Amino acid sequence: MTRPLDRDRSLEELERDCWPGPSAGATRLVATAHALRRRPIGGLTVEDVRLLIGQDIGLPYLLPLAVEVLRENPMTEGHMYEGDLLSAVLTRDLSVWAEFPELVRELRGIGSKLTGLPPDLERKVDRFLAP
């Protein structure tokens, strides 16, 4: 079951887990992820959500947000390519989805209607749709 989302709170607040600041030699990805965890989730962009989901950060809060976006436009994109949010969502480990059966049903419905996808994205959709 998905949780009600308090969009005015950050992942750090929602998860009650404040990470220490990134080390001085941290990569840009690590520094960005740390900074995004401190922003209210309602202010995250599609690219922010894609990046965090791709790093398996904040999934209980961000997967429902991502599905809201995908419901409106399954091929929405962050900064990578058309459908990059969908790709990030679909490539999470299948065990993650056990907590979200209603989101799985919704994503399967979204995925089953998509046609003309690039081959790589089509494989990801097919993998997710498989029983």
Side-chain angles (χ1 to χ4, degrees):
M1 182 173 171
T2 57
R3 306 173 170 129
L5 296 174
D6 183 347
R7 295 165 196 265
D8 295 327
R9 297 180 73 198
S10 69
L11 287 174
E12 283 193 347
E13 293 170 316
L14 293 165
E15 294 177 341
R16 295 185 177 112
D17 182 17
C18 293
W19 292 3
S23 65
T27 64
R28 190 172 74 140
L29 174 62
V30 169
T32 300
H34 278 255
L36 292 175
R37 283 184 44 76
R38 291 181 176 95
R39 279 198 206 155
I41 63 171
L44 297 174
T45 66
V46 169
E47 175 60 15
D48 298 337
V49 172
R50 181 205 63 79
L51 183 143
L52 290 166
I53 287 174
Q55 297 302 307
D56 292 319
I57 296 172
L59 297 181
Y61 302 96
L62 298 181
L63 288 174
L65 281 178
V67 171
E68 284 180 14
V69 172
L70 295 170
R71 188 181 303 132
E72 297 300 318
N73 179 4
M75 296 304 290
T76 195
E77 63 186 283
H79 293 164
M80 301 295 286
Y81 55 88
E82 186 178 31
D84 61 3
L85 179 63
L86 179 62
S87 178
V89 167
L90 295 178
T91 55
R92 296 309 88 216
D93 189 278
L94 293 177
S95 65
V96 168
W97 293 101
E99 189 178 339
F100 307 103
E102 66 280 356
L103 292 180
V104 170
R105 281 190 295 277
E106 187 164 2
L107 275 172
R108 286 187 170 148
I110 291 167
S112 68
K113 295 174 187 166
L114 297 174
T115 60
L117 297 173
D120 184 53
L121 188 53
E122 186 170 354
R123 280 190 296 279
K124 292 171 185 173
V125 169
D126 290 346
R127 174 185 166 262
F128 195 84
L129 291 175

